[in-house]
């Protein structure tokens, strides 16, 4: 099953699994009630740890779009730089499979669509 990356949906699913009121959680997600708190916490964290940048990797070999290849037709694999070694290994494995004509691999538990076959 392909992950839809719909984070509110995932959050609501988890809320139900742990016994929270799903309707109340959905209503809360429609508000900006804690937005100022979240941004303040984010700012405090990056200042405390002197974080100046978080890298963002876009893996888009031929056929995949990227900022440098906007005409690509397939989705690239994107990884926040704070990803762990297992996630990066999954990306490299998925790219290898794509480039060798193998299909369907997951990256960090999420399916990656690998639809073209190299001839």
């Amino acid at each position: 099953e392909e992950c839809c990356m719909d984070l509110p949906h995932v959050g609501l699913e988890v809320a139900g699994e742990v016994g929270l009121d799903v309707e109340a959680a959905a209503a809360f997600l429609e508000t900006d009630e804690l937005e100022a708190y979240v941004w303040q916490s984010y700012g405090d964290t990056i200042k405390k740890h002197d974080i100046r940048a978080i890298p963002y990797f876009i893996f888009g070999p031929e056929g995949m779009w990227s900022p440098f290849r906007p005409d690509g037709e397939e989705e690239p694999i994107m990884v926040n730089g704070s990803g762990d070694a297992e996630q990066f290994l999954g990306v490299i494995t998925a790219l290898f499979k794509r480039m060798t004509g193998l299909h369907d691999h997951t990256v960090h538990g999420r399916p990656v669509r690998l639809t073209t076959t190299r001839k």
Side-chain angles (χ1 to χ4, degrees), residues 55-93:
Y56 191 71
F57 299 94
I58 301 174
F59 296 89
E62 188 175 344
M64 293 181 168
W65 67 265
S66 77
F68 308 105
R69 193 179 296 112
D71 59 337
E73 295 181 12
E74 294 181 51
E75 244 179 88
I77 299 172
M78 297 177 275
V79 178
N80 185 310
S82 60
D84 59 22
E86 179 184 339
Q87 187 175 12
F88 280 96
L89 178 60
V91 168
I92 292 166
T93 302

Side-chain angles (χ1 to χ4, degrees), residues 12-87:
L12 293 175
E13 192 174 304
V14 171
E17 288 178 10
V18 299
L20 297 176
D21 181 334
V22 175
E23 288 183 25
F28 173 78
L29 290 175
E30 294 295 323
T31 73
D32 60 357
E33 185 176 330
L34 294 177
E35 183 177 4
Y37 172 79
V38 170
W39 282 112
Q40 182 65 48
S41 175
Y42 174 77
D44 292 348
T45 300
I46 63 174
K47 288 174 189 165
K48 176 182 177 183
H49 297 287
D50 197 28
I51 298 170
R52 299 185 188 276
I54 300 173
Y56 191 71
F57 299 94
I58 301 174
F59 296 89
E62 188 175 344
M64 293 181 168
W65 67 265
S66 77
F68 308 105
R69 193 179 296 112
D71 59 337
E73 295 181 12
E74 294 181 51
E75 244 179 88
I77 299 172
M78 297 177 275
V79 178
N80 185 310
S82 60
D84 59 22
E86 179 184 339
Q87 187 175 12

Side-chain angles (χ1 to χ4, degrees), residues 73-114:
E73 295 181 12
E74 294 181 51
E75 244 179 88
I77 299 172
M78 297 177 275
V79 178
N80 185 310
S82 60
D84 59 22
E86 179 184 339
Q87 187 175 12
F88 280 96
L89 178 60
V91 168
I92 292 166
T93 302
L95 290 171
F96 174 78
K97 287 185 174 206
R98 181 203 182 273
M99 296 173 80
T100 58
L102 301 173
H103 296 275
D104 299 333
H105 186 70
T106 60
V107 175
H108 209 57
R110 294 189 305 249
V112 176
R113 279 175 277 166
L114 305 174

